[in-house]
Amino acid sequence: MELYENKLSGSIPKEAGNMTALVNLWINDNSLSGVIPQQIGNLHHLRILCMFMNKLSGPLPPTISNMSSLGTVDISSNTITGALPSEIGSMKLGILILDHNALTGTIPSAIGNMSDMRSLLLSSNNLNGPIPSTIGNISNLRDLLLSFNKLNDLSSNKLSGELPSSICKLSHLNYLLLSNNTLEGRLPHCFENFSGSLTIFHLNENKFSGLIPSTFSKNCSLMSINLGNNKFHGRLPKSLINCQSLRVLYIGNNRIQDDFPFWMERLRKLLVLVLRSNKFGGNMSLPSRTKFPFPRLQVFDVSHNEFLGSLPQRYFKNFRAKIYPTVFYEEFLDYVEMILTLKGQDQLLNRLPETFTAIDLSSNRFCGTIPPSMGNLKSLKYFNLSHNSLTGHIPSSFGNMSELESLDLSTNNLNGEIPSELTRLTFLAKLNLSTNNLVGQIPQSNQFSTFENDSYIGNLGFAEFR
């Protein structure tokens, strides 16, 4: 029965349990409300049960475990409450999708009895407690999503404790998303072996510590790694160069202590590189043998580290993604979750738009002048060089950055006048030139007429403030 994407409202009638010959029930994308009736368990021949995107509430009926033919259950994006019934472990489900609800309690250890499970999605609920060690018994599991999207959901899983070593048995994992919980401890070494099957590996916003797995295999298939906001230390493993399909690497807000990973310049599909708020250091302008480094990069954030020397000019010449938006776009990019400083505020992005571009080199020890070649970044939207020791003039070529929405050059030692060419930046919504040595008149035309005085304070040589 296919009744999806209509405007059905009201509750699911108890009489639905009388349709015992029913094989498929699709009533998703409606406005159905109320509880799921116990009588649903009478549908012994049902193989697919899809009720997602409704307004259903109350607990899952324990009678659902009577449906011995059921292979797929999707009741996501409702307001289902209560605990996962332990009876669910007796089912032979291949797909169980209950994310974006309000489930409470722990994940029952009986979940490990579901040996045929391929996809288990419990993200964005109110689950707590440890991940049961029996999870390792689900040997065919491909997708394990237990995370919480802070941007869109009120429900928040708070799974705790260490990852069970039995997770090493899940050798076919494709998606592993455990973000935004309170998991802790060191990662099992077996994660190095998963790199041949894993494509999405997100453990961000937890309390994990220790070293990042150091040996990624030659057949690495990882496309997105997010380990941000944990307590990882040590160096960035050079074996990541084996992950030639990698699009996203986010390891911000950890304790990684290393030089800049020049070897990553050869990751030709990389879209996002975020190393912010670690202990990286050294000179990023050292010679490199890579002719076209980072050819597809859209987001480059190394802020709040200890880099020194001149700005890495070769990156601004060759970041072609900043000039021609990338063509590498897959559905998985909707899972991207990044914290970036945009327009002076930390903001959370839960997906990567195709045209989104950002460079953030702020809060380091860069010195010297700003290369005029930066003006070639014509599709760059967010640019932050603040809190460094940069000298010289603001390049007039910045007027060519026609898509720029935010420019922060504050807290440097820049001198000279504001180039009149900057008035051509008609998309510029945020400008911060404060705490420099700038002089002369402040432009009054176009976007400059909208900026407050705090964009310019700390420059004693300006002729006047508005």
Side-chain angles (χ1 to χ4, degrees):
M1 179 182 291
E2 298 181 357
L3 298 174
Y4 56 88
E5 295 181 3
N6 284 287
K7 297 181 180 179
L8 299 177
S9 60
S11 59
I12 301 172
K14 297 177 182 178
E15 291 75 13
N18 297 332
M19 299 183 292
T20 54
L22 206 59
V23 176
N24 299 326
L25 180 57
W26 301 77
I27 54 174
N28 52 283
D29 289 280
N30 284 290
S31 297
L32 297 168
S33 59
V35 300
I36 302 172
Q38 298 282 344
Q39 290 79 1
I40 202 80
N42 297 333
L43 306 181
H44 298 294
H45 296 287
L46 201 67
R47 296 177 182 174
I48 298 176
L49 175 62
C50 286
M51 298 179 169
F52 59 90
M53 295 292 291
N54 278 289
K55 299 177 182 178
L56 300 171
S57 58
L60 290 173
T63 56
I64 199 172
S65 62
N66 299 333
M67 305 165 75
S68 56
S69 296
L70 206 54
T72 298
V73 172
D74 188 346
I75 314 179
S76 60
S77 298
N78 283 281
T79 54
I80 302 298
T81 57
L84 281 168
S86 59
E87 293 90 347
I88 207 168
S90 63
M91 303 179 72
K92 296 182 179 180
L93 291 175
I95 298 174
L96 178 60
I97 305 177
L98 296 173
D99 57 301
H100 299 85
N101 278 290
L103 294 169
T104 56
T106 61
I107 301 174
S109 59
I111 203 89
N113 297 330
M114 306 174 79
S115 56
D116 295 328
M117 185 83 72
R118 298 185 305 279
S119 296
L120 177 61
L121 281 64
L122 299 175
S123 296
S124 296
N125 280 283
N126 292 316
L127 299 171
N128 56 50
I131 298 174
S133 60
T134 55
I135 199 81
N137 298 335
I138 313 176
S139 57
N140 292 316
L141 196 62
R142 278 8 182 222
D143 308 318
L144 179 60
L145 281 66
L146 305 176
S147 61
F148 157 54
N149 187 315
K150 292 193 297 186
L151 193 64
N152 291 335
D153 295 292
L154 297 176
S155 299
S156 171
N157 286 337
K158 286 299 175 189
L159 300 173
S160 58
E162 297 187 3
L163 285 180
S165 59
S166 61
I167 204 168
C168 294
K169 299 178 183 178
L170 305 180
S171 57
H172 301 295
L173 274 180
N174 187 2
Y175 281 26
L176 179 62
L177 282 76
L178 305 178
S179 310
N180 295 296
N181 284 284
T182 56
L183 298 166
E184 60 186 359
R186 296 173 179 268
L187 299 185
H189 290 295
C190 62
F191 277 112
E192 299 168 349
N193 303 327
F194 287 171
S195 61
S197 62
L198 272 179
T199 56
I200 310 296
F201 182 38
H202 289 183
L203 304 181
N204 52 296
E205 303 283 346
N206 279 286
K207 297 180 180 180
F208 289 114
S209 58
L211 302 176
I212 296 174
S214 60
T215 309
F216 291 88
S217 62
K218 293 286 186 180
N219 63 338
C220 176
S221 59
L222 281 161
M223 299 176 71
S224 180
I225 300 174
N226 192 339
L227 305 178
N229 288 82
N230 281 287
K231 299 177 183 178
F232 291 112
H233 64 266
R235 300 172 72 88
L236 202 58
K238 291 186 177 180
S239 59
L240 281 169
I241 196 61
N242 293 326
C243 304
Q244 286 293 313
S245 296
L246 197 62
R247 270 69 161 170
V248 177
L249 179 64
Y250 190 113
I251 59 165
N253 294 92
N254 278 285
R255 301 170 183 175
I256 305 299
Q257 190 168 6
D258 203 348
D259 296 326
F260 183 76
F262 295 104
W263 43 272
M264 276 195 174
E265 296 174 348
R266 292 177 283 139
L267 294 175
R268 303 193 62 79
K269 296 181 180 181
L270 196 65
L271 305 176
V272 175
L273 178 60
V274 178
L275 309 179
R276 61 179 286 166
S277 299
N278 277 283
K279 297 180 180 179
F280 286 93
N283 192 332
M284 288 178 59
S285 296
L286 295 176
S288 170
R289 296 181 180 179
T290 308
K291 187 173 183 180
F292 297 108
F294 300 121
R296 300 287 179 182
L297 209 59
Q298 289 179 234
V299 177
F300 182 58
D301 187 346
V302 298
S303 62
H304 297 275
N305 280 289
E306 299 174 8
F307 292 115
L308 46 77
S310 59
L311 294 171
Q313 184 171 356
R314 67 174 176 276
Y315 295 153
F316 308 129
K317 289 182 178 179
N318 298 320
F319 277 7
R320 307 304 294 178
K322 302 297 187 305
I323 302 174
Y324 304 107
T326 181
V327 295
F328 289 108
Y329 268 81
E330 294 91 355
E331 181 180 354
F332 89 89
L333 289 174
D334 288 336
Y335 288 105
V336 171
E337 184 178 292
M338 300 184 293
I339 297 175
L340 300 173
T341 302
L342 306 176
K343 300 181 181 179
Q345 300 290 328
D346 280 356
Q347 297 185 33
L348 176 67
L349 302 180
N350 73 330
R351 65 181 304 275
L352 182 66
E354 184 174 354
T355 58
F356 184 89
T357 51
I359 293 177
D360 192 341
L361 307 180
S362 64
S363 298
N364 281 284
R365 291 188 283 162
F366 290 113
C367 59
T369 59
I370 301 174
S373 60
M374 287 185 173
N376 296 328
L377 306 178
K378 294 181 181 180
S379 63
L380 185 62
K381 294 183 182 296
Y382 302 93
F383 194 18
N384 193 342
L385 295 177
S386 66
H387 293 86
N388 281 289
S389 299
L390 299 172
T391 57
H393 295 184
I394 300 172
S396 59
S397 61
F398 274 23
N400 299 327
M401 302 165 74
S402 55
E403 299 294 320
L404 203 62
E405 297 180 18
S406 178
L407 175 62
D408 193 344
L409 303 177
S410 63
T411 316
N412 280 286
N413 297 309
L414 300 173
N415 55 46
E417 298 184 352
I418 299 175
S420 60
E421 289 83 356
L422 265 62
T423 60
R424 301 202 301 255
L425 304 178
T426 55
F427 289 105
L428 196 63
K430 177 69 175 181
L431 175 69
N432 193 348
L433 303 178
S434 63
T435 318
N436 278 286
N437 300 312
L438 300 171
V439 299
Q441 298 285 338
I442 297 173
Q444 302 296 313
S445 58
N446 295 333
Q447 296 300 102
F448 276 78
S449 64
T450 67
F451 301 134
E452 300 293 335
N453 285 341
D454 58 4
S455 296
Y456 312 109
I457 60 174
N459 290 278
L460 299 180
F462 278 140
E464 63 178 13
F465 284 101
R466 286 189 297 274

